[in-house]
Amino acid sequence: MITEKFYEVLNHEGVVSIVSWGVDEAHVTCTWNSYLVVTEDERILIPAAGMHSTENDVNHNNKVKVTLGSREVMGYNNYQGTGFEVGGTAKFLTSGSEFDIMKEKYPFLSRVLEITVTSAKQLLFLRLYLG
């Protein structure tokens, strides 16, 4: 489900938006492409130092959407820039081998957001030139 183009985007810095929704309304938090770790079975691990609203939402509704991109990666039809919309289910890890690996890599984390990917769709980003 996760393509080579997805990994190419991860190799360039960009903003990652994580959308969760619990009881009331949607909540958005952000992180950076460089913080995403993809496991062999295509789960995404993200260090969490804050993300308390996201965690509260996930406790009520574990579905999340994630968007990420980079204008440094060539997209469809040779357009400069591309990104992905990822759907999945989330939970927060506070212990275990993957938590320990992430804690060593990102000492600032208090938890790890684990996303089990259910869909990954490449998006078309257009760069507008004003002249």
Side-chain angles (χ1 to χ4, degrees):
M1 196 171 321
I2 294 179
T3 65
E4 287 303 315
K5 187 65 75 171
F6 183 93
Y7 287 104
E8 191 177 345
V9 168
L10 285 185
N11 286 328
H12 297 275
E13 198 60 272
V15 175
V16 176
S17 296
I18 304 162
V19 180
S20 59
W21 54 97
V23 176
D24 294 321
E25 61 184 358
H27 172 78
V28 179
T29 192
C30 296
T31 190
W32 299 105
N33 288 358
S34 57
Y35 287 156
L36 273 64
V37 174
V38 181
T39 65
E40 286 184 21
D41 61 352
E42 297 188 343
R43 287 174 295 121
I44 298 172
L45 305 178
I46 304 171
M51 296 192 188
H52 298 291
S53 294
T54 303
E55 186 172 19
N56 288 336
D57 286 350
V58 166
N59 288 336
H60 292 284
N61 174 6
N62 68 350
K63 292 181 184 176
V64 295
K65 291 223 180 234
V66 176
T67 60
L68 65 145
S70 171
R71 64 185 191 175
E72 307 303 319
V73 177
M74 199 62 72
Y76 289 122
N77 300 319
N78 290 323
Y79 283 115
Q80 185 67 40
T82 194
F84 286 84
E85 177 187 298
V86 176
T89 56
K91 67 180 178 180
F92 282 81
L93 308 177
T94 57
S95 62
S97 61
E98 289 176 335
F99 174 86
D100 294 339
I101 291 167
M102 291 291 286
K103 182 71 172 177
E104 187 173 317
K105 189 170 184 174
Y106 305 106
F108 61 84
L109 69 78
S110 59
R111 290 141 14 266
V112 174
L113 174 58
E114 176 194 80
I115 299 171
T116 301
V117 176
T118 57
S119 65
K121 175 183 170 186
Q122 187 175 348
L123 304 172
L124 175 64
F125 286 175
L126 296 178
R127 193 184 220 178
L128 297 177
Y129 294 94
L130 302 175

